[in-house]
Amino acid sequence: MERKASAGMADLGSVRAGKTEKPEKPEKPEKPGKTGKTEKTEKTEKTEKTEKTEKPERIDWASWLGERLPAPPEDWLARERAERLQDLEELAWLLDSARSKLALFIQMYPERRFEQGLGDVFGRELEALEARRRQYERDPLACDLDAYLTIKYELRLLHKQLGAVVEGSDWQSPGKRLGHNGGQSAELGFAQSEENTYERSYGSDAVKSYEARALRAWYGIEGELARQSLGLMTTSGMKALELALFGCKGAMGDLPFYCQEGLYGEGAELAKLILPQTEELGPDALYTRLEQGQSVGGVLVDPGCSWPVRPPVDLGRLMQLICVHRQSEPLYVIVDRTFTTIANPIFTRYVDRLPPHVTLICIESAIKYLQYGLDLANAGFLTAAGARMRDEEERQRWIDLLALLDAGVAPLTVRQLPDPDETRLTTRLARINRNARLLASFLEHQRLAGRISDYCTTVPHSADYLLAGEPWHGAVAYIRVPGVEDEAEVQRRIDAFVHRAPEGSHFVSGGSFGFDTFRMNAVSGEQGAEAALRISVGREPILQLLTKLRHIDRELLQ
């Protein structure tokens, strides 16, 4: 069967041919992070030196959707080329990550022939992937999104495989290295440094080390701030919320607990299940309770917007009220940071202003933005900070609760993940943010043309949420299609569109967000009403993204 051209490549050919229509000249993308061991080519180094933080683009959508290509073509082609080189730098970093896991595996088995032979097999596979990456580095325009993802998903598989063989010998039950077992015990794994504890009882040094690195990279927590903070990796974002709610329950007694009205449904349900006194309040009512100085046990908010969209909480205003709040009992402020992610530096911004009775808790799904689009392991993260967290007894209370709920991740999870890296994550999310910004511009054009009823993004436009100096939009947009109120009908349209999409275009019918692909699914309110199309943008280079939006214009929004 003949392979259809992937989305974007036909337009690249047209741009090479020099067709015209001049938009604003695009800025070059921001500089990617270092790649560690991998040697860079001269071309990549030149690209990195000239890349800057992006500025908002203005697209003449009527011209673009009418097949008049952007011009001057050499500028857009240079932009596309630079972004593909940036993608290849991410692949180099992931190759280094896999090499470090392989090195640990080989180190664990210095005299075992089978494992050493297996290490050689992994090594050859990594060398082959590096050779393919370098080939694309010499001709970046040959590395479209499909080619990039082909290599990236092979690296994803290697991360899962290498993490599994590294952790595969670990024992779950307590044991010590004593006497003649002072070296490698038969009942302790080859990579297992912790002793005499159950893994589920927060017993893994590998997990604790990863948590410390994540606190620095994702939350900016180090030094003095680290002494009043605790970071715990959990088996999911919902498990992080469960841990936070039970932590509140154990200390706040019968004080009221307020949940933001419009919070994602399962979060509100869980809060009411664990804390029966939970009351849902809109943002204004919540501000009023705090302004009146009422005693409060805890609040649960999400500055992002789920569907159906309700008024978002103004996190800056909320925290101003929290910082002047006074009571003798503990107060827990739980903020779900999944939508706002690292654009929301909540701890470095607020912790030093908190009253001593307040503990600020951030929960986050770690499967969305924080796994570099690899979707390797189901995981969440809970971070708690404040004066009370300086007390060892309070810190131990949270760790004991983690074990009691069996909420902590297994070492296997962190062995399979790349290391937390702020620079690499920022570079990746800056691309997603640019694409979300262009999607919003495209949707506004569609709204004005009457093709859609309305749309909204998940993160309010605010100076409180900045990424690389630009307002963070989040990857997700909700779209209302005229005359379509049924969730099943929206999903049928999505499935038909994805089924007809060009091979290699990487449109995906599926939920969640923060990946490299363009994901779409239907959402609705109660009983399937208020149906909307949810789109999560990927990390497509500029011309490939514009081509995908043209395809949506023609095939989905007709």
Side-chain angles (χ1 to χ4, degrees):
M1 180 177 177
E2 184 179 355
R3 186 181 186 275
K4 291 178 277 186
S6 64
M9 293 311 296
D11 291 299
L12 283 181
S14 299
V15 173
R16 286 191 180 101
K19 298 184 181 179
T20 60
E21 178 105 295
K22 185 172 183 176
E24 178 180 320
K25 182 177 178 179
E27 299 286 337
K28 296 181 180 179
E30 68 171 306
K31 180 178 179 179
K34 296 180 181 179
T35 60
K37 304 173 188 175
T38 303
E39 183 180 352
K40 301 172 185 174
T41 66
E42 183 179 351
K43 291 180 180 179
T44 304
E45 289 174 342
K46 288 180 180 178
T47 301
E48 287 189 338
K49 290 176 182 177
T50 58
E51 285 171 345
K52 300 178 182 179
T53 301
E54 300 174 25
K55 302 297 181 186
E57 297 84 353
R58 288 194 296 271
I59 303 294
D60 181 350
W61 290 108
S63 294
W64 172 251
L65 298 176
E67 293 197 27
R68 291 190 292 276
L69 296 170
E74 61 274 11
D75 291 338
W76 287 87
L77 201 60
R79 174 74 172 270
E80 180 83 7
R81 182 180 181 280
E83 292 186 3
R84 294 189 185 195
L85 281 170
Q86 191 181 66
D87 293 344
L88 290 165
E89 282 297 303
E90 183 186 75
L91 294 180
W93 177 74
L94 289 172
L95 277 159
D96 284 345
S97 173
R99 289 189 188 102
S100 68
K101 296 180 186 302
L102 176 58
L104 176 59
F105 174 62
I106 293 173
Q107 179 185 342
M108 287 162 48
Y109 301 101
E111 298 177 355
R112 292 174 62 91
R113 182 179 301 175
F114 174 77
E115 284 80 4
Q116 288 292 316
L118 186 56
D120 292 340
V121 173
F122 280 121
R124 288 194 295 271
E125 180 66 14
L126 286 170
E127 288 174 4
L129 290 175
E130 172 63 6
R132 287 164 58 188
R133 190 196 72 85
R134 286 185 176 277
Q135 182 178 2
Y136 284 129
E137 212 168 38
R138 291 188 289 272
D139 183 13
L141 292 178
C143 187
D144 64 2
L145 182 70
D146 187 49
Y148 158 78
L149 290 178
T150 298
I151 296 179
K152 184 168 183 175
Y153 290 170
E154 289 187 33
L155 285 168
R156 174 187 181 272
L157 185 58
L158 283 171
H159 274 77
K160 290 186 76 74
Q161 292 169 336
L162 285 165
V165 294
V166 165
E167 199 59 38
S169 64
D170 275 12
W171 286 67
Q172 312 301 309
S173 302
K176 291 183 179 181
R177 295 179 175 90
L178 298 172
H180 66 277
N181 285 330
Q184 186 64 56
S185 169
E187 295 186 7
L188 286 171
F190 286 90
Q192 197 167 355
S193 56
E194 61 279 354
E195 298 182 27
N196 204 34
T197 183
Y198 286 99
E199 277 191 353
R200 69 171 182 82
S201 300
Y202 201 53
S204 170
D205 289 341
V207 171
K208 295 171 189 175
S209 176
Y210 186 93
E211 289 169 343
R213 299 194 301 276
L215 283 177
R216 289 192 298 271
W218 298 342
Y219 302 97
I221 292 178
E222 55 188 341
E224 179 60 27
L225 182 54
R227 284 184 275 277
Q228 56 180 317
S229 304
L230 178 67
L232 300 170
M233 199 161 191
T234 61
T235 52
S236 69
M238 285 299 294
K239 205 67 175 178
L241 176 58
E242 180 185 350
L243 177 60
L245 292 169
F246 271 112
C248 296
K249 186 180 181 70
M252 60 177 271
D254 295 326
L255 287 174
F257 184 88
Y258 299 128
C259 173
Q260 173 190 342
E261 190 177 61
L263 189 81
Y264 52 96
E266 59 267 37
E269 290 176 14
L270 185 62
K272 294 172 184 176
L273 181 65
I274 296 173
L275 298 168
Q277 69 266 48
T278 296
E279 181 182 356
E280 291 189 70
L281 295 178
D284 289 339
L286 179 57
Y287 308 146
T288 298
R289 301 288 175 96
L290 292 170
E291 287 168 342
Q292 292 172 345
Q294 295 184 10
S295 293
V296 181
V299 298
L300 168 61
V301 299
D302 184 346
C305 298
S306 298
W307 186 264
V309 172
R310 300 293 182 260
V313 69
D314 182 337
L315 189 60
R317 182 178 177 186
L318 175 70
M319 292 308 299
Q320 286 178 354
L321 294 170
I322 292 293
C323 288
V324 298
H325 185 271
R326 297 293 182 267
Q327 67 183 40
S328 57
E329 303 91 345
L331 167 57
Y332 295 92
V333 180
I334 306 172
V335 179
D336 191 317
R337 203 183 75 152
T338 302
F339 278 133
T340 54
T341 191
I342 61 171
N344 182 6
I346 189 168
F347 293 104
T348 56
R349 183 175 286 166
Y350 297 115
V351 168
D352 62 353
R353 298 160 48 194
L354 293 177
H357 69 289
V358 175
T359 299
L360 179 58
I361 301 171
C362 176
I363 59 170
E364 190 161 0
S365 168
I367 203 171
K368 309 292 195 304
Y369 294 123
L370 300 180
Q371 291 188 30
Y372 311 98
L374 294 170
D375 196 28
L376 285 162
N378 204 23
F381 210 88
L382 178 146
T383 307
R388 289 172 55 82
M389 298 307 296
R390 292 181 180 274
D391 180 60
E392 283 302 321
E393 186 174 333
E394 175 68 2
R395 296 169 72 91
Q396 191 59 47
R397 181 175 78 88
W398 285 87
I399 292 171
D400 291 344
L401 190 56
L402 178 86
L404 183 65
L405 297 174
D406 197 16
V409 296
L412 173 62
T413 297
V414 300
R415 296 289 194 194
Q416 292 179 324
L417 296 174
D419 235 23
D421 187 307
E422 179 187 10
T423 299
R424 186 59 55 187
L425 184 59
T426 300
T427 300
R428 169 185 163 70
L429 294 185
R431 174 80 65 79
I432 289 177
N433 197 37
R434 188 279 310 278
N435 288 356
R437 188 166 60 236
L438 285 174
L439 174 65
S441 173
F442 167 79
L443 293 175
E444 178 64 13
H445 173 80
Q446 298 290 334
R447 186 188 69 81
L448 293 173
R451 307 281 292 282
I452 63 174
S453 303
D454 203 0
Y455 70 95
C456 61
T457 58
T458 50
V459 179
H461 192 277
S462 170
D464 286 338
Y465 313 119
L466 298 178
L467 189 110
E470 295 290 341
W472 169 248
H473 289 68
V476 178
Y478 303 110
I479 304 158
R480 298 298 303 276
V481 180
V484 181
E485 296 292 332
D486 180 61
E487 181 180 2
E489 173 60 25
V490 174
Q491 191 60 53
R492 280 193 292 271
R493 292 191 180 198
I494 293 169
D495 291 345
F497 169 79
V498 172
H499 180 73
R500 296 191 307 266
E503 184 179 345
S505 57
H506 291 279
F507 287 107
V508 175
S509 175
S512 199
F513 56 91
F515 302 114
D516 294 313
T517 52
F518 213 97
R519 301 175 71 90
M520 295 176 285
N521 69 298
V523 292
S524 67
E526 295 182 5
Q527 285 82 48
E530 293 185 89
L533 163 65
R534 186 172 89 158
I535 289 181
S536 170
V537 297
R539 59 165 295 137
E540 294 85 358
I542 182 75
L543 287 177
Q544 290 188 269
L545 173 74
L546 293 177
T547 301
K548 292 178 94 164
L549 293 177
R550 178 192 285 165
H551 190 68
I552 288 174
D553 172 77
R554 295 175 178 176
E555 300 295 333
L556 183 61
L557 300 180
Q558 291 293 335

